[in-house]
Amino acid sequence: MSPSPASFADAITPDLAVAGCPEERPSQCRWPVFLWPYLLLVALLVPALGRAACEPGDALTLLHFNDFHGQLEPYEDPRDASERGGIARLAATVAEVRAEDPSRPVVFLFAGDLLQGTLTSSLFLGVPDLMLLGRMGVDAAVMGNHELDYGQAVFRRLSEEAAFPFLSANVASDPEPLPVLASVVIDRPGEPKVAVLGLTTPELTTATHPRNIEGISVEEPIAVARRLVPELRNKADLVVVLSHLGIADDRRLAASVPGIDLIVGGHNHNLYAQPVIVENVPIVQAGERGGWLGRMDFRCREGRLTGTDYALIPIDAASPEDPQIAEEVRRITLDAERELDKEVGFNTQELSAWRELIRREEAPFGNFVADLAREITLADVALFNGGGFRSSIPAGPVTLKAIYQAFPFRNELVLGDLTGARLLAALERSAALNPLDNPGGFLQVSGVRYRIENGRLASATIGDVPIDPARRYRIVTSDFLAAGGDGYEMLETMTEPVMTGRLISDMVIEGFRTASPVSVETDGRITRR
C-alpha cells in the first residue's frame, strides 16, 4: 500500500531531514507539500542507489568450460575425428588470456561434472583433476550430477580440499550438510564485483546409484533462484548463474527470474558458438571435456557491466601447452597404466562373453550389467546388445584391465522414455535375429522378460504384466543402441533422452567395488523355443 503524504513525511530518514531542524519541534521539520512527489521519487530510487554499480572504464573477462569428466589427456572429437582438449592446452590458453592485459580482471568458472569418464578419473577419484583446476585459477565450480558417482565421501573430500568453492544453492544433505556454498561474491580490490549462484539439476538424484544420494534432496532451481538473485543483485555489478541444469531449464530460468546477467551452463555438453539469448539473458555452454573455452568480455556502460564480445576458443593441436602441467598429466597417465592390474573386486564365477552364449540367450554377464544399469537409473527396463560385451571377466580377483577389455568402446548410459509399442518392436527385432549368426544385436535385458518361439516374439512382460503398447516406459541403454545401432532405429524415438555421462565400464567397476563378491545367475528372463 502506498504511504499517505503525512506518513511518508514522517518516514523520511534523518539523512533527508531539513538542515537545522529543532528536535523539540519535529512538525516544523516536514518538507513542504509541493516537494512530496519528488521525495517519493527519491524513496523509490533508494534501493537502486544501494545496488553495486560499476565505474566508467571498468572491464572484465569471464572464461568458462563445463562437463570435464576427467579428460586430462587430448581426445578424438567424434564430430570430425580431430584431436581436441587436454588440460595442459586448456591451462596455457587461459594463461594467454590473462596475459593479454594483466590489469584486466578475469573470472574463470567451471559448470560442473568434474568426475566420471576416464581411467584416471576412476582410479584416482578426481584428485589430480581437482589439483590441476586449482593451478589453472578456477574461481568457482557448480556441483554437477556426476559429482556423487564415487560416493558422498569422495565428493566431500574433494570439495573440502579444493582451492575454489563448489556451489549449489538447491542441493541439501541431511543430517550432515555438504561442503558447498549457495553462492559466492568475487570481490577483489579495485575490480567489479561478480556474484555467482550455483544451481544443480534435479537429475542428481536419478543419474547415480541410490546409495550415493542417501539424505540428499534437490529443490526446484527456479524457486531457489527467485529467492536468492535479488539479494545478490544488490551486492554485485554482475550476477552470474553457474548452472548444471541443461539448456531447457536454463531457458526457463532466464524467462522466469529477473536480475540475472548471464547463465553459464553445462550438463547437455552443448556447443554454442554464440550465446543463446532468452529475455535478454545470454546463456553459454562450451561443449565438453575441455575441448573448448568460452570467453565473454564485459565493459561498464551507464553503471552496468555489459557483454561486448563472445568467443568460443577451440582447444586443439594448434593450442599452446603448459609444459609443467603436460608433464604432470604424463606422470598421472603412467601411474594409471600401472594401476590396470589393481584388483577392484572378486568374481565367484566367470562372467562369460562367449559369442555362442551372450549373443543367443540369457547370460549371467548380460544380467549383471543390465541389472546394474536399471538399479542406478531407476529405469523400468534396461537393454544392452550382446555385441557390446567384448571379453569375459574370469572367476577370482577382478582387475581394471579385465573390465576395460570387456568394455573398450567407451559407451555410456542413455536414459529416456519409450512407448510400449516401440519397446515391443525392439524385442521383436532381437527375437527375429538368427542365433546361428551369433548376432551382436541380440538384447540382454533387465526389468522385462521375453520369450522367443520360432524366431518370433511370443510374449513380453514387465512385472508379470504384458507390455502395454500405449504406455510410456523409462528405458536405459547404451548410447550405441540409443543412436539406432544394430538396426534398432525404434530406440532413436526415445523422448527426453539424457546422456548420463556414465560409462558402462565405470558402472561395472563401481559394481565390483561395492558388491563383491559378485555372483550372478540366470533367472529365465529370456527363453527360446
Side-chain angles (χ1 to χ4, degrees):
M1 186 171 102
S2 301
S4 67
S7 62
F8 172 72
D10 289 337
I12 294 175
T13 65
D15 289 341
L16 295 176
V18 178
C21 170
E23 293 184 4
E24 69 274 12
R25 285 179 290 172
S27 61
Q28 296 180 9
C29 301
R30 293 178 178 169
W31 294 85
V33 173
F34 71 87
L35 288 179
W36 286 351
Y38 301 99
L39 294 174
L40 180 58
L41 177 62
V42 169
L44 294 174
L45 286 174
V46 165
L49 293 172
R51 294 176 182 170
C54 61
E55 298 292 335
D58 280 352
L60 175 79
T61 293
L62 186 144
L63 303 176
H64 67 96
F65 70 116
N66 53 278
D67 298 281
F68 187 65
H69 289 293
Q71 193 66 55
L72 299 177
E73 295 183 285
Y75 66 97
E76 182 180 288
D77 186 352
R79 297 173 179 84
D80 56 12
S82 63
E83 185 178 275
R84 191 165 296 285
I87 196 167
R89 295 170 178 168
L90 183 63
T93 304
V94 170
E96 277 195 342
V97 174
R98 294 186 191 275
E100 288 175 2
D101 181 356
S103 68
R104 183 188 59 221
V106 174
V107 172
F108 187 21
L109 302 178
F110 171 57
D113 275 0
L114 175 70
L115 304 178
Q116 187 71 259
T118 63
L119 175 60
T120 56
S121 184
S122 298
L123 285 175
F124 304 129
L125 304 179
V127 172
D129 314 64
L130 186 80
M131 175 192 68
L132 294 175
L133 262 62
R135 282 172 56 177
M136 290 164 60
V138 168
D139 290 299
V142 67
M143 180 182 180
N145 58 293
H146 285 286
E147 264 50 290
L148 298 182
D149 280 359
Y150 300 140
Q152 286 188 40
V154 169
F155 176 67
R156 288 177 186 275
R157 186 167 61 251
L158 290 173
S159 186
E160 289 167 354
E161 295 177 356
F164 50 87
F166 276 91
L167 309 178
S168 186
N170 64 319
V171 174
S173 176
D174 183 60
E176 183 183 358
L178 290 171
V180 299
L181 302 177
S183 63
V184 65
V185 177
I186 301 170
D187 184 6
R188 300 166 184 148
E191 298 182 2
K193 296 178 182 179
V194 180
V196 185
L197 173 69
L199 293 174
T200 301
T201 174
E203 291 173 19
L204 174 72
T205 59
T206 59
T208 190
H209 197 288
R211 65 173 166 266
N212 294 335
I213 47 113
E214 291 179 4
I216 298 290
S217 59
V218 183
E219 191 176 350
E220 204 283 321
I222 291 178
V224 173
R226 282 180 175 144
R227 286 201 309 268
L228 299 182
V229 166
E231 178 183 348
L232 296 174
R233 180 76 273 167
N234 288 332
K235 294 179 178 179
D237 302 299
L238 190 72
V239 175
V240 178
V241 174
L242 188 55
S243 159
H244 198 82
L245 298 175
I247 186 60
D249 280 344
D250 284 344
R251 284 177 175 274
R252 289 200 306 122
L253 184 68
S256 305
V257 181
I260 298 171
D261 294 313
L262 172 66
I263 297 175
V264 175
H267 186 47
N268 303 118
H269 301 203
N270 289 353
L271 188 65
Y272 299 133
Q274 288 296 314
V276 175
I277 306 296
V278 177
E279 298 292 334
N280 293 320
V281 178
I283 303 169
V284 295
Q285 203 173 140
E288 61 181 350
R289 299 183 183 275
W292 292 266
L293 177 69
R295 172 180 179 168
M296 182 170 279
D297 292 314
F298 295 85
R299 287 201 171 274
C300 186
R301 290 179 175 171
E302 299 179 352
R304 179 178 177 182
L305 280 178
T306 304
T308 57
D309 295 290
Y310 184 79
L312 198 60
I313 305 170
I315 307 299
D316 54 26
S319 302
E321 187 175 74
D322 182 308
Q324 292 182 332
I325 290 182
E327 180 58 33
E328 188 73 14
V329 170
R330 279 190 285 272
R331 184 189 63 77
I332 293 166
T333 303
L334 287 173
D335 287 346
E337 290 173 355
R338 284 193 288 267
E339 289 284 318
L340 282 175
D341 290 329
K342 184 176 181 178
E343 295 177 12
V344 294
F346 191 88
N347 211 10
T348 61
Q349 65 193 54
E350 180 187 50
L351 291 177
S352 176
W354 185 46
R355 295 163 69 92
E356 283 74 8
L357 170 64
I358 206 159
R359 299 182 180 213
R360 293 185 180 186
E361 58 190 83
E362 179 189 0
F365 201 177
N367 289 359
F368 176 61
V369 170
D371 287 348
L372 269 179
R374 192 165 65 92
E375 179 186 9
I376 286 171
T377 61
L378 304 180
D380 299 312
V381 173
L383 305 174
F384 290 90
N385 58 309
F389 298 74
R390 308 305 294 180
S391 68
S392 302
I393 298 180
V398 176
T399 65
L400 288 166
K401 184 176 182 179
I403 294 173
Y404 283 113
Q405 285 175 335
F407 300 100
F409 296 137
R410 296 183 55 80
N411 291 121
E412 68 177 88
L413 301 180
V414 177
L415 189 64
D417 294 332
L418 193 69
T419 65
R422 297 289 187 177
L423 176 57
L424 286 169
L427 296 174
E428 286 167 355
R429 171 165 177 74
S430 180
L433 296 171
N434 188 339
L436 297 179
D437 293 332
N438 294 328
F442 183 77
L443 293 178
Q444 299 290 325
V445 300
S446 177
V448 62
R449 305 173 75 88
Y450 71 107
R451 189 173 81 252
I452 304 168
E453 292 184 0
N454 300 319
R456 298 176 64 87
L457 181 67
S459 67
T461 59
I462 296 175
D464 297 327
V465 177
I467 292 174
D468 180 354
R471 180 180 165 182
R472 304 195 77 82
Y473 295 92
R474 196 70 167 156
I475 307 295
V476 61
T477 186
S478 68
D479 54 353
F480 172 73
L481 287 180
D486 272 337
Y488 286 94
E489 290 87 357
M490 68 290 293
L491 298 183
E492 291 184 276
T493 65
M494 280 197 303
T495 56
E496 299 183 5
V498 176
M499 296 290 291
T500 67
R502 175 172 279 255
L503 299 182
I504 295 172
S505 55
D506 285 348
M507 175 187 72
V508 173
I509 289 168
E510 192 67 13
F512 274 105
R513 278 178 171 164
T514 57
S516 287
V518 169
S519 181
V520 186
E521 303 291 341
T522 57
D523 57 17
R525 65 185 69 180
I526 306 173
T527 57
R528 185 190 295 274
R529 293 183 182 177

